[in-house]
Every structure is written in C-alpha cells, then in structure tokens.
Amino acid sequence: MHTDAARLRRADLDHCIHPWTDFAEWTRTGSTTMVRGEGAYVWDATGRRFLDGIGGLWFANVGFGRRELIDAATEQLARLPQYSYFTNLANPPATELAARLAELAPGDLNHVFYSTGGSTANDTAARIAHFYHDRIGKPSKRYLISRRNAYHGSTFLAATLSGKTGDKRGFQFADGLVHHLSEANCYRMPDGIDDESAYCDYLVDEFERLVARLGAHNVACFFAEPIMGAGGVLVAPHGYHRRMKEMCAAHDILYVSDEVVTGFGRLGQMFASEPCFGVVPDMLVTAKGITSGYLPLGATIVSDRLYDGLARTGSDGAVLAHGFTYSGHAAACAVGLANIALLERERICERVRDLGPLFLERLSTLRRHPIVGDVRGSHFMLCLELVQDRRSKAPFPAAVDIGRRIARAAQERGLIVRPIGNLSVLSPALILTRDQIEQVVAILDAALRATIADLTRDGVEFAG
C-alpha cells in the first residue's frame, strides 16, 4: 500500500464517522479513499482506476473533471461565494437559476426555495405544505403520506418520511405525523395479483382507504419518487402516478414529486414527472444532478397556487420561518446554471434516451445467472435483485450478505456498484459510452460467476 494511502486509511479509521456504516466490518476493512475523477472513472489513493457505476451517489450526471463547472464555481467564489439569502437579500446566480428551473419544471411550478440537498429540500416541501394550508384556512391538514421503502432523506423529518425499515432501527421517530402506504413493487406483487393493471387498482384503492381513515381534511400531502431509488429501483405499474395525482386532487391533497435522483437527465428528461409519468405535481423536489455533485444544492419548486397561498398575510403576522445559512448559495447556483447549459449543449438527455434501452437490454442478459431474480429500472437507473430461489423469489439470508459479495467482486475487477441488501444498484454518469456499458455488464457477469462459485464452495444452496 502506498505510504499516503496507508496514512489516509489510518486517519479515516481514527477520526471519521461514515454514513450507513457497519462499524464492526469497517474497522476490519477500512475505507477505499478516492482521490481523483475524470469522466466516468475514479481513482483511489493507491492509483487503481474504477469505472464508477454509482455516479458518486446518484449525482455525477455529467461526469468528473468538467472544466465548465469548475470554472463557474471558481469565478463565483472569487466574486461572491455566498451571502445571506434571507428576507430581501438575493444574488444573481440564485435568481437566474430559479428562472431556468421554472422554465424546465412542468406546469406552473414557477417558484423556487433553495436548500442544501435532497433531505432539506424534502423537509422544505413538508414545511411549505403545512404553512400553505395554515395560510388558506385549513390548519387541520397536517398528515403526510409516503410509501414503505421510500427514501426521502436523512434529516429527522425526511427520515420520518422515508419508509425503509432497516434505516429506522436504533432511532425513535415521531408517531402519527407520517403514514406509509405499500411501495409499488411489480416484482413482488401481493398474492393473487399477477397483472399490472389490477396491481395499480390495488395500490390506488389502498390510498383511498387510508385517506378515508385519516380524513382528507387532515392530510396535507403525498410524497412519491417517480422511480423509487434507494428503496429498490422500483418502477410502478403503468398509470400509477397519474392516478395517484388524480386522487390527491380529488381530496385536496398536495402531490410532491421527489426528483432528487430522477431529475437532470437520469431518465432522459430534465424532469421526469410529466414526460415520463404524466404528472404535473404541486411541488417538485430536486438536488444531486442539479449541480452534478460539484457543490451541494437542493431546490423545492412550487406551483403558482401554492405560492399565492404562502404569500397571504395573516392576522397573526406569521412568516415562512424556514431556511438555511446556505440557501441560494451563490457559487452552487452558478454551478447549477453551468450544469444545465452543459446538459443542453451536449444533448445529454437525448443521449440517455438513446442508450438507456440498450443499457437495460444488455443488463438483462445477466438473468441467465441462477441468483438473478429481477433486472429492472429505466435508462441510467438500474438494478439487479438477487434471490436464493428464483421460483419462489426467496431472498438470501442477511448473513450471506449477497449484495456486498457482488459489490466486492465487482470492485476487485474495476467497477463500483452499490449494494443495498439483496440489490446491486447502478446509477452511472450519463456520459457513459456503448463500450463502457458493455464493460459494466462484462464485469458484473464475472462478479456474478465468481460469487456463485464462492457460494457453492461455502455450501450455500440456491435454486434457479
């Protein structure tokens, strides 16, 4: 190991607390320290190069080392890195980016509240929903509806909104505010349902029954990712989002589209809600790809109707008492503008629409392996679900740690994939070439073969 790599590994172990870390395992293995990125590749401290199959963490949409974004940040940092964005203070990049986001967002989503990332942007959506209903004389509308296995962030409110059971172990969350529906999982539909149309009916009916139980006059909004990301790259049955939006409108419930992952090209559109799923939400939440991860930024984009409600003056003198030191961060917004310009100039959305079906088709060839139960997703947002018994869809026991086994085998061969339980998740840079797509599939193929051999040697049984 290089001397500097060894020093960094030791300092990391001694001083850093990493998110979502099994500390017992981490203290044995340490971290892989990434020191450089270029295009769709990253290099670690020992000089090893990896094809980045996770796009940093769903965010490196235009890849690493893009001078346009670096220069935009540098120029704005020299001019004015940031200044208070509270009350009547503004800066040009934040103003100009808000105007561009309003142009790109569907319908009349013309008003932007800036935050620092996806978690705070989802928190903001919930706060706005409450304040809006209070201003228009419906203060009882407080409940938030989300879905099991949803991921909306890691701040306290966003984590409460999220529905991943494993992420809630060891924590105490507020009871009663958030209510969770079933996730839309077409691979694991309920017993007796094997048709997507019937499954869609089932999910919409579940929503109707929950609203009836809670009382529509008590429900503020419904949160949904167009494609569920960290919860399993789950694509809902056709028409699901449109019908859920119709139900929300019928019950005066706000529909919040969480496009933290799906925004800025990952599904081949700047925003996927309307062109891909036929939904014009009341609020749209975005982050990650808004700057391609070059600087932290989040945004909650709201409709004219909501803004008009927020702007009402009440007799109590209340203001929207919500915001962040780094709201409207000037340098981050400058990068956001440069990022959108780059996406448009290089026609990256069109590229994703062209290569996305090929990516899924090539990845689907891995179904030939007996432990691959499902290959799903859309465009540059894909995953494999790994199962012990393909006929019953029974997952591997947690002790087998199948997702991490595949991730380790892939990393040994030069590809970073993200293990989430029994899943291998891919969300690479949107600049991937056809050859790089073939490389991703070839490495995963080799990783699966090596892992299957290891399972057999360890006496783990599986049925294809």
Side-chain angles (χ1 to χ4, degrees):
M1 182 178 291
H2 296 192
T3 303
D4 196 47
R7 179 185 62 79
L8 289 168
R9 180 181 183 278
R10 185 70 263 162
D12 183 60
L13 286 165
D14 287 346
H15 304 294
C16 295
I17 302 174
H18 292 265
W20 271 270
T21 297
D22 180 337
F23 292 108
E25 179 188 8
W26 176 62
T27 54
R28 291 193 306 270
T29 63
S31 300
T32 300
T33 301
M34 298 303 182
V35 298
R36 185 166 73 89
E38 183 178 336
Y41 294 95
V42 288
W43 283 258
D44 72 8
T46 71
R48 285 199 65 199
R49 187 184 80 161
F50 302 90
L51 184 53
D52 178 20
I54 64 173
L57 192 61
W58 310 96
F59 60 68
N61 291 19
V62 301
F64 300 104
R66 304 306 299 260
R67 287 306 322 175
E68 302 96 319
L69 276 59
I70 297 164
D71 290 345
T74 302
E75 291 167 11
Q76 186 60 45
L77 288 168
R79 186 177 300 114
L80 179 71
Q82 169 63 342
Y83 196 75
S84 172
Y85 197 67
F86 284 25
T87 60
N88 63 338
L89 298 170
N91 65 75
T95 300
E96 292 168 7
L97 179 59
R100 288 293 286 121
L101 292 173
E103 290 175 1
L104 297 169
D108 67 343
L109 273 69
N110 290 317
H111 309 274
V112 178
F113 191 105
Y114 289 115
S115 55
T116 55
S119 300
T120 49
N122 275 305
D123 273 20
T124 295
R127 295 283 300 274
I128 284 176
H130 282 177
F131 193 76
Y132 165 77
H133 286 302
D134 185 82
R135 292 297 89 186
I136 66 170
K138 299 179 180 179
S140 68
K141 293 179 79 67
R142 288 290 181 260
Y143 292 143
L144 312 173
I145 297 178
S146 180
R147 300 182 293 173
R148 289 190 283 276
N149 273 323
Y151 182 76
H152 296 293
S154 191
T155 53
F156 190 86
L157 179 53
T160 308
L161 275 170
S162 298
K164 297 181 68 183
T165 306
D167 291 350
K168 295 180 182 288
R169 297 189 189 115
F171 299 95
Q172 182 63 50
F173 292 96
D175 293 328
L177 177 63
V178 179
H179 299 265
H180 290 93
L181 296 164
S182 298
E183 72 273 31
N185 187 341
C186 291
Y187 180 59
R188 296 183 179 276
M189 293 187 283
D191 291 342
I193 298 177
D194 56 8
D195 171 79
E196 283 198 19
S197 178
Y199 185 37
C200 188
D201 291 342
Y202 169 90
L203 294 167
V204 173
D205 181 64
E206 181 190 23
F207 176 69
E208 283 271 59
R209 285 185 281 109
L210 176 60
V211 171
R213 178 168 64 81
L214 298 175
H217 62 286
N218 294 319
V219 180
C221 53
F222 168 64
F223 284 75
E225 303 154 89
I227 292 180
M228 196 172 277
V233 191
L234 299 177
V235 182
H238 180 72
Y240 166 83
H241 290 289
R242 177 181 51 77
R243 290 184 61 190
M244 292 294 278
K245 174 63 167 65
E246 290 169 355
M247 290 297 101
C248 285
H251 294 295
D252 192 24
I253 295 168
L254 303 178
Y255 187 105
V256 182
S257 188
D258 180 348
E259 292 223 37
V260 169
V261 169
T262 56
F264 297 98
R266 189 147 299 279
L267 300 184
Q269 305 287 342
M270 283 294 194
F271 293 118
S273 294
E274 186 176 28
C276 296
F277 302 99
V279 169
V280 177
D282 298 294
M283 284 188 271
L284 189 152
V285 174
T286 189
K288 292 188 185 293
I290 192 172
T291 64
S292 287
Y294 279 64
L295 284 176
L297 183 66
T300 305
I301 313 173
V302 308
S303 69
D304 289 343
R305 175 170 67 98
L306 264 67
Y307 179 77
D308 290 345
L310 296 176
R312 290 188 185 182
T313 302
S315 59
D316 58 2
V319 298
L320 183 59
H322 174 68
F324 307 92
T325 299
Y326 299 119
S327 287
H329 193 281
C333 291
V335 172
L337 284 164
N339 183 60
I340 291 170
L342 193 158
L343 286 164
E344 292 179 334
R345 184 171 61 255
E346 297 190 358
R347 302 176 67 86
I348 286 177
C349 286
E350 290 91 329
R351 177 190 187 85
V352 170
R353 292 199 297 271
D354 177 44
L355 291 181
L358 170 70
F359 202 172
L360 179 58
E361 176 189 321
R362 297 298 299 131
L363 200 66
S364 294
T365 63
L366 300 179
R367 291 179 186 271
R368 64 180 175 270
H369 293 287
I371 65 171
V372 176
D374 195 24
V375 180
R376 60 174 176 262
S378 180
H379 293 82
F380 276 47
M381 184 177 181
L382 302 167
C383 91
L384 310 179
E385 181 163 345
L386 309 161
V387 295
Q388 187 165 16
D389 187 326
R390 196 147 61 177
R391 286 163 296 194
S392 68
K393 303 180 183 178
F396 282 95
V400 173
D401 210 5
I402 189 66
R404 288 189 184 277
R405 282 183 184 238
I406 298 293
R408 283 195 295 268
Q411 188 164 326
E412 288 168 2
R413 291 159 174 81
L415 171 68
I416 305 292
V417 300
R418 186 181 181 197
I420 304 177
N422 287 328
L423 307 177
S424 294
V425 174
L426 292 165
S427 54
L430 310 184
I431 58 170
L432 233 59
T433 65
R434 290 174 185 266
D435 286 346
Q436 288 168 332
I437 288 172
E438 294 295 344
Q439 186 182 358
V440 168
V441 175
I443 292 175
L444 273 173
D445 183 40
L448 283 161
R449 283 189 276 107
T451 301
I452 288 168
D454 289 344
L455 292 172
T456 302
R457 187 166 51 250
D458 294 345
V460 177
E461 296 182 354
F462 49 87

